[in-house]
Each structure stands twice: as C-alpha cells, then as structure tokens.
C-alpha cells in the first residue's frame, strides 16, 4: 500500500511584479492575430471550464480572440512539452494546475522543466475538490462508502485524469488514508471521466468543483464530501471529508498561466493585464463564486507570485511522491 500523502496545496509567497521594469520599446503591436490558450486536459473538464471562462474576457482585453486548444494525455505533460517548444511570441499560452509541480517527481523522464522552460504570468484560481460516485452506487454516505470499498475493493473502480492529474492525487490520498487500493481508470481529463460516471461505467471520481457543483446540485451524481477543512458556500449541505473521519484531508487545486520561455516582457505584461481584467470581470467572479473557487490575492496574480509558488510546491511534492513510490513507467 502506498504511503500516506499529505496534500496541502495552497501555500503562498509574497510576490513582486517585474513588469514595472519593462523597457519602453514595449509598444509591439501584440496581438495582431488570435492567441491560443492550451489546456492540458479534455474539453468539458474543470481546467477547460476555467480556461473557457477566462478566454472571452481576456480576448476583450487583448483585442483579439483567445482560442482554447485541448492537448490531452499523460496527466498534462504532453501539453506542457508542446508549450515548452512553442514559439515564444505570446500566441501560445498555457493554463495548468498543480500538476506542473508534481510532474518532475512523478515522471522519471520529463521532456520539459517547469522551472526553466516557461515564462510565468500569474496564478489564476484555487479550486476545491469533491469525492463523487455514480448516482446508483450503493453507499448512502461517507461512512457506508468506507465500509463498502473495504468489502468490495476488487470490484470498485476509481476514475482519474492520468498520472499527474489532481484527480489521481486526490484518489491516492483517499486510498492511502483508508488503507485500500482500488482499480484506477485513467482518462484524458475528468470531463470524459465524468461522462462515464454519469453513464455508470465507473464508480468513483474525485474532481474539482469547477465541474462538479452543477452535477451535485442537479442530483446527477452522489457526493460523499468536499476536500476542504471547511464546508463550501456553494454546497453547504455537503460535509467535509475531514469532519467525516478522514482527518486532515485537504486538497485545493491551484492553477497558473504560463508562456514559452523567451516570450518578451511587454507581451507578458499585456497578458497579465488581460488575466487580471478577466478575473475582475463581474460575470467571471460570480461564476467562480458559484463554483466555490477563489481568485488568489493580487500579489499572486504576478509572475513572481506564480514562480515562487511553483518552486515551493515542487520542493514540497518531490519528497512526498518519492516516499510514496509513485512513478510513471
Ligand atoms: N480535473 C482533472 C484533473 O484531475 C483535469 C481536467 O480534466 O481538467 O487533473
């Protein structure tokens, strides 16, 4: 059985903006064509939801469309590699979650370096998770779930979005805390995993509220708990996993916006302004609040805010993952 993994994923660092130092030659006519925002998971999932929510207001601020492109597979590492090799001209941007910080320890061979191959634009949003089951899964509540999976561990399936996905980490955390190993089924994102949960092809899924709140509210899935230590405003009747006995169970998923290394500072500044404008958009703010997702404080919406956080997260996860012995083959 894998050793316990403790996940606390929202530590922050004070940040300074480097944009104030951009040279005056910054008046490049950027952008003069649509900008691509690469999402490392399938359409319809939580990362995709956030990207599409931001794309329209960012496009308004930039004066050009921001087109979302889903480049899927290998827990987000295929997209990260592609962006690392893209032209550093501001026309390729990348949104990824905390998988950027776990990939270096999870993958023995990684064809990108999170600390060397990117420019950092800013943190984006912090999103809790929920532990769900297909609607007709027998256990009625978390206590029953624990007993049920212990008794039926060979039959119960747990979906995730691949090694490096937060659904994978959340599932590992759940299994390690209760000391049971289930059959895990990887997808190219939790969008398709959710489709299979709705269709009854898989039993369990741990996923971000950016996808799950509407499903829970509509009663399309069964929910066993939220992964924060406090209940969520959007789901006040759903208990935390912590309060139901999974002591200290806490996963909140941070996200960052990146560009390929070498993207010019004035271009990065424009993108940062667009990111901030999108996160200040009343419709975006309302929607994120409805999904119990938090916009980070202003000092985190900066290159240094993202870079420092990423660095700290890599340092935190490396030893935990090594100790747990989880690697890609
Ligand atoms: N929620 C997914 C994950 O587990 C990613 C996604 O499909 O957005 O990392």
């Amino acid at each position: 059985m894998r050793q316990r993994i403790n996940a606390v994923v929202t530590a922050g660092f004070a940040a300074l903006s480097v944009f104030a130092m951009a040279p005056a030659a910054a008046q490049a006519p950027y952008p003069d064509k649509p900008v691509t925002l690469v999402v490392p998971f399938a359409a319809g999932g939580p990362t995709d939801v956030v990207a599409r929510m931001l794309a329209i207001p960012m496009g308004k601020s930039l004066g050009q469309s921001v087109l979302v492109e889903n480049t899927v597979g290998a827990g987000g590492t295929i997209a990260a590699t592609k962006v690392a090799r893209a032209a550093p001209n501001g026309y390729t941007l990348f949104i990824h979650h905390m998988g950027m910080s776990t990939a270096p320890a999870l993958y023995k061979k990684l064809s990108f370096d999170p600390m060397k191959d990117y420019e950092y634009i800013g943190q984006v949003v912090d999103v809790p998770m929920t532990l769900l089951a297909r609607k007709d899964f027998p256990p009625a509540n978390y206590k029953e779930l624990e007993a049920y999976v212990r008794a039926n561990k060979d039959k119960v399936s747990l979906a995730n979005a691949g090694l490096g996905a937060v659904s994978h980490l959340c599932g590992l955390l759940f299994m390690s805390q209760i000391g049971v190993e289930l059959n895990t089924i990887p997808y190219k994102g939790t969008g398709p995993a959710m489709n299979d949960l709705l269709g009854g092809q898989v039993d369990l899924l741990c996923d971000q509220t950016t996808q799950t709140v509407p499903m829970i509210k509509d009663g399309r899935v069964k929910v066993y708990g939220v992964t924060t230590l406090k209940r969520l405003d959007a789901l006040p009747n759903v208990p935390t996993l912590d309060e139901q006995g999974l002591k200290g169970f806490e996963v909140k998923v941070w996200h960052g916006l990146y560009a390929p290394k070498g993207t010019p500072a004035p271009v990065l500044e424009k993108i940062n302004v667009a990111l901030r404008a999108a996160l200040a958009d009343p419709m975006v703010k309302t929607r994120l609040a409805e999904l119990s997702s938090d916009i980070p404080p202003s000092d985190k919406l900066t290159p240094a805010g993202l870079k420092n956080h990423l660095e700290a997260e890599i340092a935190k996860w490396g030893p935990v993952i090594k100790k747990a012995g989880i690697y890609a083959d």
Side-chain angles (χ1 to χ4, degrees):
M1 177 37 60
R2 289 161 179 140
Q3 301 197 22
R4 173 169 298 206
I5 302 171
N6 292 313
V8 177
V9 291
T10 51
F13 282 76
L16 294 168
S17 172
V18 297
F19 295 142
M21 296 162 74
Q27 318 296 337
Y30 168 85
D32 63 0
K33 60 179 182 180
V35 172
T36 297
L37 175 57
V38 176
V39 170
F41 297 104
T47 316
D48 185 70
V49 165
V50 172
R52 287 176 200 274
M53 206 187 294
L54 298 178
I56 291 174
M58 280 186 74
K60 268 193 205 144
S61 168
L62 289 169
Q64 285 286 342
S65 302
V66 173
L67 308 174
V68 172
E69 182 187 290
N70 302 86
T71 299
V72 303
T77 58
I78 291 174
T81 303
K82 177 177 165 174
V83 173
R85 292 175 187 162
N89 54 14
Y91 292 99
T92 303
L93 307 179
F94 184 39
I95 184 168
H96 197 358
H97 59 40
M98 53 175 284
M100 274 294 256
S101 62
T102 55
L106 287 172
Y107 285 83
K108 281 183 184 153
K109 280 184 231 137
L110 204 61
S111 36
F112 65 94
D113 183 336
M115 295 312 302
K116 288 198 184 130
D117 293 342
Y118 305 92
E119 301 292 347
Y120 308 95
I121 295 160
Q123 287 190 49
V124 178
V125 69
D126 297 330
V127 187
M129 300 189 85
T130 48
L131 182 60
L132 308 175
R134 62 182 160 84
K135 202 177 160 185
D136 55 354
F137 197 53
N141 52 46
Y142 178 74
K143 277 272 162 302
E144 286 186 25
L145 173 71
E146 229 185 274
Y148 186 90
V149 295
R150 278 185 210 290
N152 298 281
K153 60 178 190 301
D154 296 334
K155 283 189 245 151
V156 175
S157 56
L158 171 62
N160 66 43
L163 192 72
V166 286
S167 45
H168 178 249
L169 284 170
C170 183
L172 283 179
L173 185 62
F174 168 63
M175 292 189 290
S176 63
Q177 287 213 6
I178 65 167
V180 172
E181 197 149 6
L182 305 173
N183 304 312
T184 53
I185 305 186
Y187 289 80
K188 294 197 184 307
T190 47
M194 178 63 82
N195 287 340
D196 273 9
L197 197 77
L198 295 173
Q201 283 91 8
V202 282
D203 299 320
L204 295 171
L205 170 66
C206 192
D207 202 17
Q208 289 111 295
T209 55
T210 32
Q211 167 160 252
T212 65
V213 165
M215 309 284 173
I216 293 167
K217 286 193 162 166
D218 293 352
R220 300 174 69 196
V221 291
K222 196 171 265 186
V223 60
Y224 293 116
V226 298
T227 67
T228 42
L229 298 181
K230 272 194 191 161
R231 291 192 185 200
L232 302 177
D233 288 346
L235 300 168
N237 299 324
V238 179
T240 68
L241 291 170
D242 174 80
E243 78 186 75
Q244 299 179 93
L246 275 187
K247 283 290 153 218
F249 196 104
E250 187 180 15
V251 185
K252 202 163 181 188
V253 184
W254 62 271
H255 296 71
L257 186 65
Y258 306 82
K261 187 80 184 171
T263 305
V267 169
L268 294 171
E269 181 178 1
K270 281 194 177 169
I271 301 163
N272 181 271
V273 168
L275 172 65
R276 286 168 176 271
L279 292 172
D281 182 293
M283 267 165 56
V284 170
K285 284 170 88 167
T286 304
R287 189 68 192 128
L288 286 175
E290 285 167 356
L291 299 172
S292 275
S293 301
D294 298 327
I295 297 169
S298 186
D299 65 339
K300 304 281 176 63
L301 308 179
T302 60
L306 174 57
K307 187 178 179 205
N308 290 344
H309 190 62
L310 175 65
E311 198 165 33
E313 287 278 286
I314 290 171
K316 183 180 85 186
W317 281 104
V320 174
I321 290 166
K322 283 200 176 88
K323 202 170 159 201
I326 319 153
Y327 299 108
D329 295 330

